[in-house]
Amino acid sequence: MVDIFDCAKAQIYHNTGKLTPAQIKARTGCTHIINGYLFNSKFQPVGWTVIDGKIISQDKYHDFGVSIGDNGLPFMSTDRRGSFLSGVPILKAGAKLYRGLTADVARSAARTAVGWMPNGKVCLWCDKTGMTREQLQDKLLALGVTDALMLDGGGSTQGIFPKAAVTSTRKVPTLLLFWEAGSEPRSEDAAALEWCRASGVYTGADMLAVNQPMTRKDLAGILYRFREVLKDG
């Protein structure tokens, strides 16, 4: 499963609630979601995981990873100041990169990867077909990818794209979320949503589900909070 698209924004998701990709996608309204990087037996991420400046996990290495800039766009960088997730660098400027891998990571296995095209589009790879790092590098280069990071694979490989999905029973502690350009709220919608959030009409859960259908019960709750806002005003 592969998709190349214009990305409007991205997010690193720390999955403390052990949710499935489908549940996270429903809550956030993202268009694409893939598993993140490695983790240990205590369900703790390894490598670097930084979300909005808060360090969730770190190690002694300062290699490339997925870095999300002030504009919300993901890129391959060593910048850990905002949001950052480790990965195994496998391509940079169209050249193959090699890092030392343990036998478990080096073996042929299902693979998840994120890459970037010369025109700035994001390429996501999520496939259960077993392959080595070198085979993945060749596949991505054939697609025109210039920069790429390999993420956790094997039983962790899972993701949902607009037209396909790869499933796994394994829960993972970090995931990468992407919003394809054109799927994000229009500017006037964004202003209305911000007012609803700031005034208390929408709760945090409501904000995470703005792109999802609502039940009559949900609507009743929102209308009740709106009435309270009017009374306070």
Side-chain angles (χ1 to χ4, degrees), residues 19-26 33 158-160 166 168 170 172 175:
L19 303 177
T20 65
Q23 290 172 321
I24 297 169
K25 186 175 184 297
I33 181 170
Q158 54 195 292
I160 303 174
V166 171
S168 173
R170 182 181 296 177
V172 295
L175 299 98

Side-chain angles (χ1 to χ4, degrees), residues 67-82:
S67 182
I68 299 178
D70 293 338
N71 59 2
L73 296 177
F75 57 104
M76 183 172 167
S77 172
T78 58
D79 187 351
R80 289 158 165 75
R81 291 174 296 177

Side-chain angles (χ1 to χ4, degrees), residues 103-181:
D104 183 58
V105 177
R107 66 185 174 86
S108 180
R111 296 295 177 189
T112 304
V114 55
W116 290 265
M117 310 296 288
N119 60 4
K121 289 187 176 183
V122 169
C123 175
L124 298 182
W125 180 283
C126 184
D127 200 274
K128 288 294 188 181
T129 302
M131 61 180 64
T132 62
R133 169 181 54 187
E134 290 72 21
Q135 290 172 324
L136 179 60
Q137 287 171 322
D138 290 339
K139 292 283 189 181
L140 294 175
L141 285 171
L143 291 170
V145 174
T146 54
D147 297 350
L149 295 153
M150 187 169 70
L151 302 170
D152 198 3
S156 295
T157 287
Q158 54 195 292
I160 303 174
F161 296 175
K163 296 182 179 180
V166 171
T167 61
S168 173
T169 57
R170 182 181 296 177
K171 302 296 192 302
V172 295
T174 59
L175 299 98
L176 285 170
L177 283 55
F178 303 85
W179 284 258
E180 187 171 0

